[in-house]
Amino acid sequence: MAEGFWEELEVVCSGDPEKKEKLVGLTFSGGGIRSATFNLGVLEGLKELNLLKTIDYLSTVSGGGYIGAWLSANCKRHKEWRDKDADWSDSIRHLRRYSNYLAPAVGFLSADTWSMAMVWLRNTLLVQVTVILAIAAAMIVPRLVFPLFANWHEAGNWRWITIVLFVLGVVGVAGNQLRVNPKRKDIWILQSEKWLRGLGCAAACLAAAAVLGWWTGFSPFHSGEVDYRVAAPMAILLVLGGFFLLPVGANASERSRLTTISLGCRVLWSLP
């Protein structure tokens, strides 16, 4: 794949090394016949401006591929197809005449119409059945874990898991709210490169909470009254520790995303 790309690049540039820095690409996105119609208008606009000749690469997907294939085929058949004065009228009429390529013969008794209707009905039913079964499976989970919740009060210090999950949930929701606020994007706890500072601050908060709990003999799970003079500072320290972990989570997310992209590139690169 890589060798073919470089060979094609040499052909496109015709041995001119400076042209490699001035290549122009045109991309067409998907969207069915609507995308093809819109992209045809883009091509006609570029043609009127005499800019089609400057395009070296064409990338298309889905509905964009429909009009991209039309352009590539006509460029192959007609050398002057990208010229400003090229006549596209007959070819465009042909496109419009056969735009119903999914059901060319439209009509109540047409086999194409009924085939398309059955395909739509089949896909719709499959999607609905899949969604209903997924919801049903999700609703079974609480029944399976009900004994665990019923006896959770006897789990001892394992109940700290509940507190940790609650803190992480609160911090995650609050962090997302901060990220979507354009006025607060410069806060350092939202910057992944500050993960080391965040990890240090989180460790300090958690250590302070642990020392405070040990010093006062505080336990949130005993059956007596809760001493809020100790519980409030510990809750604040735990929540602050969670907030300080935001850059650590962001950094880990970026690293995993880059790792995934790198593995994907290596797989593609190794393909014959």
Side-chain angles (χ1 to χ4, degrees):
M1 183 185 297
E3 294 178 358
F5 171 78
W6 291 112
E7 291 176 1
E8 182 182 354
L9 187 62
E10 290 296 330
V11 173
V12 171
C13 296
S14 303
D16 185 1
E18 294 184 359
K19 191 176 180 180
K20 292 182 180 179
E21 306 297 329
K22 301 177 182 179
L23 295 177
V24 178
L26 179 63
T27 61
F28 287 152
S29 64
I33 198 64
R34 292 169 297 179
S35 170
T37 304
F38 177 83
N39 293 330
L40 176 59
V42 172
L43 287 176
E44 289 186 292
L46 293 174
K47 173 175 171 289
E48 291 180 3
L49 296 173
N50 201 25
L51 294 176
L52 276 181
K53 286 186 174 181
T54 64
I55 296 173
D56 302 293
Y57 284 96
L58 179 65
S59 176
T60 65
V61 63
S62 191
Y66 181 66
I67 202 67
W70 171 83
L71 175 65
S72 300
N74 280 298
C75 288
K76 180 71 174 179
R77 298 188 188 108
H78 311 287
K79 299 288 187 181
E80 72 288 348
W81 192 253
R82 294 193 294 171
D83 292 347
K84 183 178 181 180
D85 299 327
D87 185 12
W88 290 8
S89 56
D90 291 338
S91 184
I92 291 176
R93 274 195 293 271
H94 177 81
L95 271 180
R96 290 172 177 168
R97 189 179 304 116
Y98 293 96
S99 59
N100 292 328
Y101 54 89
L102 293 178
V106 182
F108 184 76
L109 300 178
S110 169
D112 291 335
T113 301
W114 282 99
S115 297
M116 187 172 62
M118 290 300 103
V119 168
W120 179 88
L121 182 61
R122 179 200 64 187
N123 293 342
T124 302
L125 289 176
L126 286 175
V127 170
Q128 297 301 320
V129 169
T130 303
V131 171
I132 291 172
L133 291 178
I135 295 174
M139 294 179 67
I140 292 175
V141 174
R143 290 183 174 272
L144 298 177
V145 299
F146 178 78
L148 175 64
F149 285 103
N151 299 293
W152 188 243
H153 63 282
E154 301 175 356
N157 288 329
W158 285 102
R159 288 178 288 178
W160 278 101
I161 296 175
T162 306
I163 296 177
V164 171
L165 292 177
F166 176 77
V167 170
L168 292 178
V170 170
V171 169
V173 173
N176 286 332
Q177 292 296 322
L178 290 174
R179 285 191 177 92
V180 299
N181 190 339
K183 297 181 180 179
R184 298 185 178 181
K185 285 188 176 180
D186 56 344
I187 300 177
W188 71 268
I189 61 172
L190 300 178
Q191 301 172 8
S192 60
E193 62 270 13
K194 302 294 180 60
W195 69 273
L196 194 57
R197 182 197 298 182
L199 185 62
C201 293
C205 289
L206 297 178
V211 170
L212 178 62
W214 171 79
W215 183 263
T216 59
F218 176 78
S219 175
F221 308 122
H222 66 81
S223 57
E225 295 183 0
V226 177
D227 187 357
Y228 290 101
R229 293 175 299 177
V230 180
M234 285 193 65
I236 293 173
L237 288 171
L238 290 175
V239 173
L240 283 176
F243 271 104
F244 287 133
L245 287 175
L246 283 175
V248 179
N251 183 270
S253 177
E254 288 186 5
R255 287 178 179 272
S256 63
R257 184 167 61 250
L258 291 175
T259 302
T260 303
I261 294 173
S262 176
L263 289 175
C265 292
R266 289 181 181 181
V267 171
L268 291 175
W269 191 269
S270 63
L271 292 176

